[in-house]
Amino acid sequence: MAIKPDDCIVKINDLIIGYEDCHDMFGRKDIRPKYEKYWTNFCRHTDELKVGVKWTGFAVFTWGLVTGIAMAKSSLTQLEAVGMSLLVYAGSAQLAALPLIAGNFPVWVALVTAVVVNLRFVIFSAGLQSHFKSKPFWKRVVLGYLNGDITFALFIAKFGANSQDPTKTTFFLGMSITNWTLWQSGSLSGIFLASFIPHHWGLGFAGTLALIAIVMPMVDRKATALAAFTAAIVALLTVDLPFKLNLVCAVVAAIAVGMMLDKQAAKKGYINE
């Protein structure tokens, strides 16, 4: 059920009663209109935020987890890994820099590598420039730090190249802060829990987690879920086959089940369920 803007206004009114009680003491203007605006704008995008988290949340968390495990398994100390996670907040750049740090390459080599890997953010920033150019410099720095691939893609898809929608800043912050929280939660979990992962699993385990993050959002209806379940069962039952043929069997079985269920659903008229 969608949250109505009026409901949010009522909640904000309740929250700032204490402020109004001491209003004369501080001699400040009433903050009600300012915070009503922010919360009303936020509530307008609540449903979109839920959809965004549903489709990307697991992938973002898992990508952070993969990066955290990689840092914990590298030559970095736990404190250094936490600092890198919070300050850099760029999974691809962090993974690219880790071998250079472990190999004692000069700092400038690691920095240049990270910049090259993240050059796409120059394009992202150019795309966002028309939306936030009126903001103070420090606010643009914060927005740039919080920006990410998914946030940028969803923002541009909704607001285009130059929208005058007054809710766009709230939308951007809602998406970016949510993604940042999910990513950092995954990254810090990977850093602190990596010691429980057997050393011989190495980064292969992290790669498996990344693949799970890609696949899970695709399992969005009954036919897909049953096909995935079939693939898992067949892969386990045929695991002793040579040359990894159990994977081939799993794929063939999943395709067969998925096609059969889709045909049945199409006949009954609910293919999207």
Side-chain angles (χ1 to χ4, degrees):
M1 181 180 295
I3 299 175
K4 297 179 180 179
D6 290 342
D7 295 336
C8 288
I9 292 175
V10 171
K11 292 178 181 179
I12 294 303
N13 288 341
D14 294 338
L15 287 173
I16 63 177
I17 286 176
Y19 168 85
E20 291 181 336
D21 290 342
C22 58
H23 173 71
D24 294 335
M25 182 185 299
F26 291 97
R28 298 173 60 186
K29 295 181 179 179
D30 188 2
I31 62 173
R32 182 189 300 268
K34 178 180 178 181
Y35 286 93
E36 280 183 359
K37 178 187 71 173
Y38 287 132
W39 279 92
T40 300
N41 290 344
F42 174 79
C43 292
R44 289 176 184 172
H45 297 297
T46 299
D47 289 341
E48 294 170 279
L49 181 61
K50 289 179 180 178
V51 172
V53 171
K54 174 184 176 182
W55 283 98
T56 66
F58 185 77
V60 171
F61 177 86
T62 309
W63 180 232
L65 184 65
V66 168
T67 306
I69 293 174
M71 288 191 291
K73 295 290 186 180
S74 70
S75 59
L76 298 179
T77 66
Q78 195 171 78
L79 181 61
E80 290 170 340
V82 171
M84 190 178 195
S85 177
L86 296 175
L87 293 176
V88 180
Y89 181 44
S92 300
Q94 290 170 233
L95 293 177
L98 287 178
L100 301 177
I101 296 173
N104 292 320
F105 283 78
V107 174
W108 68 267
V109 174
L111 291 176
V112 170
T113 301
V115 169
V116 171
V117 170
N118 272 359
L119 278 178
R120 67 188 185 280
F121 281 95
V122 176
I123 301 174
F124 293 171
S125 297
L128 296 173
Q129 191 267 348
S130 61
H131 294 281
F132 302 122
K133 61 183 178 182
S134 62
K135 303 291 183 185
F137 176 75
W138 72 268
K139 289 186 178 181
R140 283 181 279 137
V141 170
V142 172
L143 293 173
Y145 166 76
L146 292 173
N147 189 28
D149 299 86
I150 294 174
T151 300
F152 174 79
L154 293 176
F155 181 86
I156 292 299
K158 180 173 178 62
F159 296 104
N162 188 22
S163 172
Q164 300 302 318
D165 191 326
T167 68
K168 61 186 180 182
T169 301
T170 308
F171 179 88
F172 183 89
L173 287 173
M175 288 298 303
S176 59
I177 292 175
T178 300
N179 280 338
W180 182 90
T181 303
L182 289 169
W183 196 91
Q184 294 294 352
S185 298
S187 179
L188 295 177
S189 297
I191 293 170
F192 291 113
L193 298 178
S195 58
F196 296 99
I197 300 174
H199 184 73
H200 65 275
W201 287 10
L203 290 180
F205 177 72
T208 301
L209 293 178
L211 290 176
I212 292 174
I214 295 172
V215 171
M216 286 302 293
M218 300 179 185
V219 184
D220 58 345
R221 55 196 180 93
K222 293 178 181 178
T224 311
L226 288 173
F229 180 74
T230 301
I233 296 299
V234 172
L236 291 174
L237 292 176
T238 58
V239 69
D240 292 328
L241 292 178
F243 308 113
K244 303 285 185 181
L245 289 176
N246 63 316
L247 299 180
V248 177
C249 294
V251 170
V252 172
I255 292 173
V257 170
M259 291 178 63
M260 180 183 67
L261 293 174
D262 275 348
K263 287 181 180 180
Q264 291 178 354
K267 291 179 180 179
K268 295 180 179 179
Y270 52 87
I271 185 67
N272 290 322
E273 289 188 5

